[in-house]
Short mmCIF file of all heavy atoms in Angstrom, two decimals:
data_model
loop_
_atom_site.label_atom_id
_atom_site.label_comp_id
_atom_site.label_asym_id
_atom_site.label_seq_id
_atom_site.Cartn_x
_atom_site.Cartn_y
_atom_site.Cartn_z
N ASP A 21 251.47 256.45 123.94
CA ASP A 21 251.55 257.90 124.07
C ASP A 21 250.51 258.40 125.08
O ASP A 21 250.53 259.55 125.48
CB ASP A 21 251.40 258.61 122.73
CG ASP A 21 250.11 258.28 122.01
OD1 ASP A 21 249.29 257.53 122.54
OD2 ASP A 21 249.93 258.79 120.89
N ARG A 22 249.61 257.52 125.52
CA ARG A 22 248.62 257.82 126.54
C ARG A 22 248.46 256.59 127.42
O ARG A 22 248.63 255.47 126.95
CB ARG A 22 247.29 258.21 125.93
CG ARG A 22 247.44 259.47 125.05
CD ARG A 22 246.14 260.02 124.52
NE ARG A 22 245.19 260.48 125.50
CZ ARG A 22 245.29 261.59 126.22
NH1 ARG A 22 246.34 262.37 126.10
NH2 ARG A 22 244.34 261.95 127.06
N VAL A 23 248.13 256.79 128.71
CA VAL A 23 247.95 255.67 129.63
C VAL A 23 246.73 255.89 130.52
O VAL A 23 246.33 257.02 130.76
CB VAL A 23 249.19 255.44 130.54
CG1 VAL A 23 250.39 255.02 129.73
CG2 VAL A 23 249.51 256.64 131.38
N CYS A 24 246.18 254.79 130.99
CA CYS A 24 245.18 254.79 132.04
C CYS A 24 245.84 254.21 133.28
O CYS A 24 246.73 253.37 133.18
CB CYS A 24 243.97 253.93 131.66
SG CYS A 24 243.00 254.62 130.32
N VAL A 25 245.43 254.66 134.44
CA VAL A 25 246.02 254.20 135.70
C VAL A 25 244.94 253.49 136.51
O VAL A 25 243.86 254.05 136.74
CB VAL A 25 246.61 255.39 136.51
CG1 VAL A 25 247.18 254.91 137.83
CG2 VAL A 25 247.68 256.10 135.69
N CYS A 26 245.25 252.26 136.92
CA CYS A 26 244.35 251.48 137.77
C CYS A 26 244.86 251.57 139.19
O CYS A 26 246.05 251.39 139.45
CB CYS A 26 244.32 250.02 137.34
SG CYS A 26 243.74 249.78 135.66
N ALA A 27 243.96 251.84 140.12
CA ALA A 27 244.33 251.93 141.53
C ALA A 27 243.29 251.18 142.35
O ALA A 27 242.18 250.93 141.88
CB ALA A 27 244.41 253.39 141.96
N GLY A 28 243.65 250.81 143.55
CA GLY A 28 242.72 250.14 144.44
C GLY A 28 243.36 248.98 145.13
O GLY A 28 244.60 248.84 145.17
N GLU A 29 242.54 248.10 145.66
CA GLU A 29 243.01 246.91 146.36
C GLU A 29 242.73 245.70 145.47
O GLU A 29 241.57 245.43 145.15
CB GLU A 29 242.30 246.78 147.70
CG GLU A 29 242.84 245.68 148.57
CD GLU A 29 242.18 245.65 149.94
OE1 GLU A 29 241.50 246.63 150.33
OE2 GLU A 29 242.33 244.62 150.61
N PRO A 30 243.78 244.96 145.08
CA PRO A 30 243.59 243.82 144.18
C PRO A 30 242.51 242.84 144.67
O PRO A 30 242.46 242.51 145.85
CB PRO A 30 244.97 243.15 144.15
CG PRO A 30 245.93 244.25 144.48
CD PRO A 30 245.19 245.13 145.46
N ALA A 31 241.65 242.43 143.77
CA ALA A 31 240.57 241.47 144.00
C ALA A 31 239.50 241.98 144.96
O ALA A 31 238.62 241.23 145.37
CB ALA A 31 241.12 240.13 144.48
N VAL A 32 239.57 243.26 145.34
CA VAL A 32 238.57 243.82 146.25
C VAL A 32 237.84 244.98 145.57
O VAL A 32 236.63 244.95 145.41
CB VAL A 32 239.21 244.29 147.58
CG1 VAL A 32 238.17 244.95 148.47
CG2 VAL A 32 239.86 243.12 148.29
N SER A 33 238.58 246.02 145.21
CA SER A 33 237.97 247.17 144.54
C SER A 33 239.02 247.86 143.69
O SER A 33 240.22 247.74 143.94
CB SER A 33 237.41 248.16 145.57
OG SER A 33 238.46 248.73 146.32
N GLY A 34 238.55 248.55 142.68
CA GLY A 34 239.48 249.24 141.79
C GLY A 34 238.87 250.49 141.21
O GLY A 34 237.66 250.69 141.23
N ASN A 35 239.76 251.33 140.69
CA ASN A 35 239.36 252.60 140.09
C ASN A 35 240.24 252.84 138.87
O ASN A 35 241.46 252.78 138.97
CB ASN A 35 239.53 253.73 141.12
CG ASN A 35 239.12 255.07 140.57
OD1 ASN A 35 238.19 255.16 139.77
ND2 ASN A 35 239.81 256.10 140.98
N LEU A 36 239.63 253.08 137.74
CA LEU A 36 240.36 253.36 136.51
C LEU A 36 240.33 254.86 136.28
O LEU A 36 239.26 255.47 136.27
CB LEU A 36 239.74 252.63 135.33
CG LEU A 36 240.41 252.85 133.99
CD1 LEU A 36 241.81 252.23 133.99
CD2 LEU A 36 239.57 252.26 132.87
N GLN A 37 241.51 255.46 136.11
CA GLN A 37 241.62 256.90 135.86
C GLN A 37 242.28 257.13 134.50
O GLN A 37 243.19 256.40 134.13
CB GLN A 37 242.45 257.56 136.95
CG GLN A 37 241.85 257.43 138.33
CD GLN A 37 242.80 257.93 139.39
OE1 GLN A 37 243.84 257.34 139.60
NE2 GLN A 37 242.43 259.02 140.04
N GLY A 38 241.86 258.15 133.81
CA GLY A 38 242.48 258.50 132.55
C GLY A 38 241.50 258.40 131.41
O GLY A 38 240.31 258.27 131.63
N PRO A 39 242.00 258.45 130.19
CA PRO A 39 243.42 258.39 129.81
C PRO A 39 244.15 259.71 130.07
O PRO A 39 243.55 260.78 130.07
CB PRO A 39 243.38 258.09 128.32
CG PRO A 39 242.07 258.61 127.85
CD PRO A 39 241.12 258.49 129.02
N PHE A 40 245.44 259.57 130.31
CA PHE A 40 246.35 260.68 130.56
C PHE A 40 247.47 260.67 129.52
O PHE A 40 247.76 259.63 128.92
CB PHE A 40 247.03 260.54 131.93
CG PHE A 40 246.11 260.53 133.10
CD1 PHE A 40 245.82 259.36 133.76
CD2 PHE A 40 245.55 261.71 133.57
CE1 PHE A 40 244.99 259.35 134.87
CE2 PHE A 40 244.71 261.71 134.68
CZ PHE A 40 244.43 260.52 135.33
N SER A 41 248.14 261.80 129.38
CA SER A 41 249.40 261.80 128.64
C SER A 41 250.35 260.89 129.41
O SER A 41 250.15 260.63 130.60
CB SER A 41 249.98 263.22 128.56
OG SER A 41 250.36 263.66 129.86
N MET A 42 251.39 260.39 128.75
CA MET A 42 252.35 259.53 129.44
C MET A 42 252.91 260.21 130.68
O MET A 42 253.00 259.61 131.75
CB MET A 42 253.50 259.13 128.50
CG MET A 42 253.15 258.04 127.52
SD MET A 42 252.77 256.47 128.29
CE MET A 42 254.39 255.96 128.86
N GLU A 43 253.28 261.48 130.56
CA GLU A 43 253.88 262.21 131.68
C GLU A 43 252.92 262.29 132.87
O GLU A 43 253.27 261.94 133.99
CB GLU A 43 254.30 263.61 131.25
CG GLU A 43 254.94 264.40 132.36
CD GLU A 43 255.35 265.81 131.93
OE1 GLU A 43 255.21 266.16 130.75
OE2 GLU A 43 255.81 266.55 132.82
N ASN A 44 251.70 262.72 132.63
CA ASN A 44 250.74 262.86 133.73
C ASN A 44 250.33 261.52 134.32
O ASN A 44 250.24 261.38 135.54
CB ASN A 44 249.50 263.64 133.26
CG ASN A 44 249.81 265.08 132.97
OD1 ASN A 44 250.78 265.64 133.47
ND2 ASN A 44 248.99 265.70 132.15
N GLY A 45 250.08 260.54 133.47
CA GLY A 45 249.68 259.21 133.95
C GLY A 45 250.78 258.52 134.73
O GLY A 45 250.54 257.93 135.79
N MET A 46 252.02 258.59 134.22
CA MET A 46 253.13 257.95 134.92
C MET A 46 253.46 258.68 136.22
O MET A 46 253.82 258.04 137.21
CB MET A 46 254.35 257.86 134.01
CG MET A 46 254.19 256.84 132.89
SD MET A 46 253.91 255.17 133.48
CE MET A 46 255.50 254.78 134.18
N ASN A 47 253.33 260.00 136.25
CA ASN A 47 253.54 260.74 137.50
C ASN A 47 252.54 260.28 138.56
O ASN A 47 252.90 260.08 139.72
CB ASN A 47 253.46 262.24 137.29
CG ASN A 47 254.76 262.84 136.82
OD1 ASN A 47 255.83 262.43 137.23
ND2 ASN A 47 254.66 263.83 135.96
N LEU A 48 251.28 260.10 138.18
CA LEU A 48 250.25 259.62 139.11
C LEU A 48 250.58 258.21 139.59
O LEU A 48 250.53 257.92 140.78
CB LEU A 48 248.89 259.65 138.42
CG LEU A 48 247.70 259.16 139.22
CD1 LEU A 48 247.44 260.07 140.42
CD2 LEU A 48 246.47 259.10 138.33
N PHE A 49 250.93 257.34 138.67
CA PHE A 49 251.26 255.95 138.99
C PHE A 49 252.49 255.86 139.90
O PHE A 49 252.48 255.17 140.92
CB PHE A 49 251.49 255.17 137.69
CG PHE A 49 251.93 253.75 137.89
CD1 PHE A 49 251.08 252.81 138.42
CD2 PHE A 49 253.21 253.36 137.51
CE1 PHE A 49 251.48 251.49 138.59
CE2 PHE A 49 253.63 252.06 137.68
CZ PHE A 49 252.76 251.12 138.22
N LEU A 50 253.56 256.56 139.54
CA LEU A 50 254.81 256.50 140.30
C LEU A 50 254.67 257.15 141.68
O LEU A 50 255.33 256.72 142.64
CB LEU A 50 255.95 257.12 139.51
CG LEU A 50 256.34 256.38 138.24
CD1 LEU A 50 257.36 257.18 137.44
CD2 LEU A 50 256.85 254.99 138.53
N LYS A 51 253.81 258.16 141.79
CA LYS A 51 253.59 258.79 143.10
C LYS A 51 253.03 257.77 144.08
O LYS A 51 253.44 257.72 145.24
CB LYS A 51 252.64 259.99 142.96
CG LYS A 51 252.41 260.72 144.26
CD LYS A 51 251.52 261.93 144.05
CE LYS A 51 251.34 262.67 145.36
NZ LYS A 51 250.46 263.82 145.19
N ASP A 52 252.10 256.94 143.61
CA ASP A 52 251.52 255.90 144.46
C ASP A 52 252.58 254.89 144.90
O ASP A 52 252.53 254.37 146.01
CB ASP A 52 250.39 255.20 143.71
CG ASP A 52 249.62 254.22 144.58
OD1 ASP A 52 249.24 254.61 145.71
OD2 ASP A 52 249.38 253.09 144.15
N LEU A 53 253.55 254.62 144.04
CA LEU A 53 254.62 253.67 144.36
C LEU A 53 255.76 254.31 145.15
O LEU A 53 256.56 253.62 145.77
CB LEU A 53 255.21 253.07 143.07
CG LEU A 53 254.27 252.22 142.23
CD1 LEU A 53 254.98 251.77 140.96
CD2 LEU A 53 253.75 251.04 143.01
N GLY A 54 255.85 255.65 145.10
CA GLY A 54 256.91 256.36 145.81
C GLY A 54 258.27 256.25 145.15
O GLY A 54 259.30 256.33 145.82
N ILE A 55 258.29 256.07 143.81
CA ILE A 55 259.56 255.96 143.09
C ILE A 55 259.61 256.97 141.95
O ILE A 55 258.60 257.55 141.57
CB ILE A 55 259.80 254.53 142.55
CG1 ILE A 55 258.71 254.11 141.57
CG2 ILE A 55 259.90 253.54 143.70
CD1 ILE A 55 258.94 252.75 140.93
N THR A 56 260.83 257.15 141.41
CA THR A 56 261.02 258.06 140.28
C THR A 56 261.76 257.32 139.17
O THR A 56 262.49 256.36 139.42
CB THR A 56 261.83 259.30 140.68
OG1 THR A 56 263.09 258.90 141.23
CG2 THR A 56 261.07 260.14 141.70
N PHE A 57 261.57 257.77 137.95
CA PHE A 57 262.23 257.20 136.78
C PHE A 57 262.96 258.28 136.01
O PHE A 57 262.51 259.42 135.95
CB PHE A 57 261.19 256.56 135.84
CG PHE A 57 260.93 255.12 136.11
CD1 PHE A 57 260.26 254.71 137.23
CD2 PHE A 57 261.37 254.15 135.23
CE1 PHE A 57 260.02 253.38 137.49
CE2 PHE A 57 261.13 252.81 135.47
CZ PHE A 57 260.46 252.42 136.60
N ARG A 58 264.09 257.91 135.44
CA ARG A 58 264.86 258.79 134.56
C ARG A 58 265.08 258.05 133.25
O ARG A 58 264.86 256.84 133.16
CB ARG A 58 266.21 259.13 135.19
CG ARG A 58 267.15 257.93 135.25
CD ARG A 58 268.44 258.22 135.97
NE ARG A 58 269.37 257.12 135.88
CZ ARG A 58 269.29 255.97 136.51
NH1 ARG A 58 268.28 255.72 137.32
NH2 ARG A 58 270.20 255.03 136.35
N ARG A 59 265.53 258.76 132.24
CA ARG A 59 265.89 258.10 130.97
C ARG A 59 267.40 257.94 130.96
O ARG A 59 268.15 258.90 131.16
CB ARG A 59 265.43 258.92 129.78
CG ARG A 59 265.75 258.17 128.49
CD ARG A 59 265.07 258.62 127.25
NE ARG A 59 263.66 258.81 127.22
CZ ARG A 59 262.77 257.86 126.90
NH1 ARG A 59 263.14 256.63 126.68
NH2 ARG A 59 261.50 258.17 126.83
N ASP A 60 267.87 256.71 130.73
CA ASP A 60 269.30 256.42 130.65
C ASP A 60 269.89 257.18 129.47
O ASP A 60 269.34 257.16 128.37
CB ASP A 60 269.51 254.91 130.48
CG ASP A 60 270.97 254.54 130.51
OD1 ASP A 60 271.60 254.53 129.42
OD2 ASP A 60 271.49 254.26 131.60
N THR A 61 271.01 257.86 129.69
CA THR A 61 271.60 258.70 128.65
C THR A 61 272.16 257.91 127.48
O THR A 61 272.19 258.41 126.36
CB THR A 61 272.71 259.59 129.23
OG1 THR A 61 273.67 258.78 129.88
CG2 THR A 61 272.14 260.59 130.21
N GLU A 62 272.59 256.67 127.70
CA GLU A 62 273.16 255.87 126.61
C GLU A 62 272.12 255.03 125.88
O GLU A 62 272.05 255.04 124.66
CB GLU A 62 274.27 254.97 127.16
CG GLU A 62 275.50 255.76 127.58
CD GLU A 62 276.61 254.86 128.09
OE1 GLU A 62 276.63 253.65 127.74
OE2 GLU A 62 277.46 255.36 128.84
N SER A 63 271.30 254.28 126.63
CA SER A 63 270.34 253.37 126.00
C SER A 63 268.98 254.02 125.78
O SER A 63 268.16 253.48 125.04
CB SER A 63 270.16 252.12 126.86
OG SER A 63 269.50 252.45 128.08
N HIS A 64 268.72 255.15 126.43
CA HIS A 64 267.45 255.87 126.37
C HIS A 64 266.30 255.06 126.97
O HIS A 64 265.14 255.37 126.73
CB HIS A 64 267.11 256.30 124.94
CG HIS A 64 268.18 257.15 124.34
ND1 HIS A 64 268.41 258.44 124.73
CD2 HIS A 64 269.10 256.87 123.39
CE1 HIS A 64 269.42 258.93 124.04
NE2 HIS A 64 269.87 258.00 123.23
#
């Protein structure tokens, strides 16, 4: 129900942000990836 987001360059440097609500944390994470997610209407 809450997430932390790790960002940075693997094995070089990193930054831990959060904890965030799922919505805010996932929005931050997905923005970095440039993708979006939806909930499937049948399987959820």
Side-chain angles (χ1 to χ4, degrees):
D21 57 2
R22 299 186 62 73
V23 295
C24 291
V25 178
C26 299
E29 187 176 345
V32 176
S33 66
N35 181 34
L36 180 67
Q37 298 172 294
F40 299 105
S41 67
M42 283 295 289
E43 181 180 356
N44 291 337
M46 289 300 290
N47 276 324
L48 178 65
F49 176 68
L50 294 173
K51 182 177 182 181
D52 187 48
L53 296 177
I55 61 176
T56 57
F57 269 70
R58 70 184 187 287
R59 183 164 310 270
D60 185 270
T61 55
E62 291 181 22
S63 68
H64 303 289

